[in-house]
Amino acid sequence: MDGLKATFSIENYLGGIYYLTPDEIIFENNMYIIQESKNTSTASLPKLPDIQDGLFKLILFSNLDSLILNGQQILFVTKLKLTGNRVVGSIIFPDASLEELEYFLEANIKTFNTDQRAIIKKLALEAQNNQRLKIEVSSNF
């Protein structure tokens, strides 16, 4: 499901206002999902700097005290969606168990190299430590 573009104005207690635009806003199950998407059509996982960029933005969004839309406070989560070539299945952290992570990595043993598997494990830990952050790894097809 594709979402819409939106611009956020973030205001701090000192009166500073900052404007940021996430890749997508998706409304699903009475919850708004602020999503950054990083995609690659040639590799199995986007490059590390792209992943880090997406995480930086979403960690900022996930630490908002509240989100107001048309004068009403709304519920939200943040999500980093990573898509790559030849990925078998998909996984979403922190929802996935350790067993599901191991099964996903085993199913993609020929898809992800050692460094990429380590990145995926670190992403699982990041999502576990930041409950307002979801991370999905899936195929770009």
Side-chain angles (χ1 to χ4, degrees):
M1 175 172 156
D2 290 330
L4 301 172
K5 282 279 193 182
T7 300
F8 285 86
S9 58
I10 298 174
E11 186 174 343
N12 64 24
Y13 292 113
L14 297 175
I17 299 176
Y18 310 91
Y19 298 94
L20 298 170
T21 304
D23 288 335
E24 298 176 274
I25 302 292
I26 301 166
F27 185 69
E28 194 173 275
N29 300 323
N30 293 321
M31 177 81 65
Y32 285 88
I33 302 168
I34 304 168
Q35 182 168 292
E36 281 290 314
S37 299
K38 301 298 179 182
N39 310 296
T40 178
S41 59
T42 56
S44 54
L45 201 61
K47 294 186 185 295
L48 184 58
D50 291 334
I51 296 170
Q52 291 169 331
D53 176 69
L55 273 176
F56 172 76
K57 291 176 185 173
L58 291 176
I59 288 170
L60 177 65
F61 286 132
S62 69
N63 283 294
L64 295 174
D65 288 334
S66 62
L67 188 58
I68 309 296
L69 177 66
N70 299 327
Q72 298 289 319
Q73 187 168 339
I74 59 171
L75 299 174
F76 72 97
V77 295
T78 59
K79 182 177 178 185
L80 178 62
K81 184 174 183 179
L82 305 173
T83 63
N85 191 21
R86 299 183 328 269
V87 176
V88 176
S90 66
I91 193 162
I92 298 176
F93 306 117
D95 302 343
S97 67
L98 184 57
E99 293 80 20
E100 290 168 316
L101 170 58
E102 292 303 325
Y103 179 79
F104 178 76
L105 292 175
E106 183 62 32
N108 286 284
I109 194 80
K110 294 181 180 178
T111 305
F112 299 123
N113 63 35
T114 303
D115 291 340
Q116 291 169 324
R117 285 193 295 277
I119 289 169
I120 292 169
K121 288 179 179 181
K122 288 176 183 176
L123 290 171
L125 184 60
E126 182 72 48
Q128 183 180 17
N129 289 329
N130 189 342
Q131 291 294 306
R132 280 185 126 169
L133 173 63
K134 292 188 177 288
I135 301 173
E136 178 181 352
V137 181
S138 62
S139 175
N140 55 6
F141 295 107

